[in-house]
Amino acid sequence: MKPSAPRRLAHTLALAAVLLQVAGAHPLPPASAAAARQVIVLRLEGAIDPAASRYVINGVSRAEREGAEAVVIELDTPGGLDSAMRDIVKAFLGARLPVVVYVALEGARAASAGVFVAYAAHVAAMTPGTNIGAAHPIGLGSQGLGTVEEKVVNDAAAFLRSIARRRGRDEAFAEEAVRRSASITAEEAAQRHVVDLVAPDLATLLERIDGRRVETAAGSHTLHTRGAPITVREMGFRQRLLHTLADPNLAYLLLILGFYGILFELASPGIGFAGIGGAISMILGLYALQAVGTNWAGLALVALAFALFAVDIFAPTHGALTAGGVLALLLGSLLLAETPGGRAVSIWLIVPTVLVTGALAFLVLRAGLGAQRRPVTTGAEGLVGATGTSRTPLDPEGMVVIHGELWKARTDAGPIAAGTRVRVVAVEGLTLHVRPAAADRAGRGPDQET
């Protein structure tokens, strides 16, 4: 018997009620949460150099292609190259997704070029215990270059002001940071609208910026970062290697070690390990100097120093060129000590390097001069003064044994009997001029036995 229509309707309604109760007990996730897009985190630590610039720019571009919600740059930098910094700023200003710069962790800083990077972000934040500022361009020498320095400072100040105006940040501090190297704490930066907020950690930052509206190159965008999945992308091996090399102290050491290797290879030619290693070290050092900004006058003086060392080894001038080389090395090192990126080669590295290099150069020079003063012990000249025994009578010619070898000999001291100890006084072609060693001893001292 089939159920009647009213009964089927009642069963349908009862089933619907059960389904509604289940749905109420286990609600489906809202559409926004289900479609939540990831936040990409890039970590920019250390100097802003070409490798760091490529890492950040490529990271932002990849995040755009993947449709990420935002990119967070965890920043801790003492500064870097102006060209690398400007490339990053251009990428931020042209980004089609929100870029958040977060000066983290506690004790971090956004100094020099880092100020420009922070200003260019759509959202800028800092961790308590961090600082930002000191953006005065350096690398023009302690005395500056007059009009040139003024132009560089004016250009940097105008550039940072334009970024501040674009992002609605404090223009007054931008001017102070560039012209007077002003620096402020995270809390002061938030009060002066240099940054947007202070957050103790990344999770708190993403929660606080959720719902914030920013203007990107693609138009207005509202951030949805609360609970968004986070993907951290570190530097690749190649980028990390190049970023590590871009350190002025390491660059200086590589350059000096390269000169050592090549100089040693020239002084003692062999298999070539020293020369090959020196060449590789020098090339890496030159790349590193290029990455941090090269003072070409300083580099030329360092090269001149090692050229003077080499000349004094092969054509000794009794230390004059070596002394000049030590002075050139010191002056060149001091010029390399201040780079256009604002990072200095440590004076605690320069002083011992110059002292050790100078000491080694003088030791090598002293050894070379000592070798020149020693009597010749090889070739025909090495036979003069040697003693041996006459094999046959010499009247005036005969045969003698010197160094275990049989030689034709001649004497002008009268007949010499066979078996007599003789001394070589001169060499003429393949003929030795000899005298009895006993007779020669009184005038020349003890026999030189060989």
Side-chain angles (χ1 to χ4, degrees), residues 103-109 126-132 184-187:
V103 183
L105 298 166
E106 188 173 351
R109 56 179 169 166
M126 299 177 71
T127 299
T130 58
N131 64 281
I132 184 172
I184 55 179
T185 65
E187 291 73 18

Side-chain angles (χ1 to χ4, degrees), residues 310-352:
V311 171
D312 216 5
I313 290 173
F314 296 109
T317 58
H318 302 282
L321 293 183
T322 298
V326 172
L327 179 60
L329 179 61
L330 177 61
L331 295 176
S333 299
L334 292 176
L335 288 178
L336 289 175
E338 189 176 84
T339 68
R343 294 167 292 154
V345 179
S346 172
I347 193 68
W348 299 108
L349 176 61
I350 290 176
V351 171

Side-chain angles (χ1 to χ4, degrees), residues 18 45 66 145 222 237 246 285 342 413:
V18 171
E45 299 176 356
E66 295 175 348
L145 295 176
T222 300
F237 173 77

Side-chain angles (χ1 to χ4, degrees), residues 49-61:
D49 51 53
S53 173
R54 285 193 292 272
Y55 163 65
V56 172
I57 294 172
N58 293 342
V60 172
S61 297

Side-chain angles (χ1 to χ4, degrees), residues 245-264:
L245 287 175
D247 178 270
N249 293 301
L250 182 58
Y252 180 71
L253 276 179
L254 286 171
L255 191 65
I256 296 298
L257 291 175
F259 277 121
Y260 279 162
I262 292 176
L263 192 60
F264 181 81

Side-chain angles (χ1 to χ4, degrees), residues 49 63 96 151 223 409:
D49 51 53
R96 301 178 64 83
K151 289 181 178 179
L223 285 162

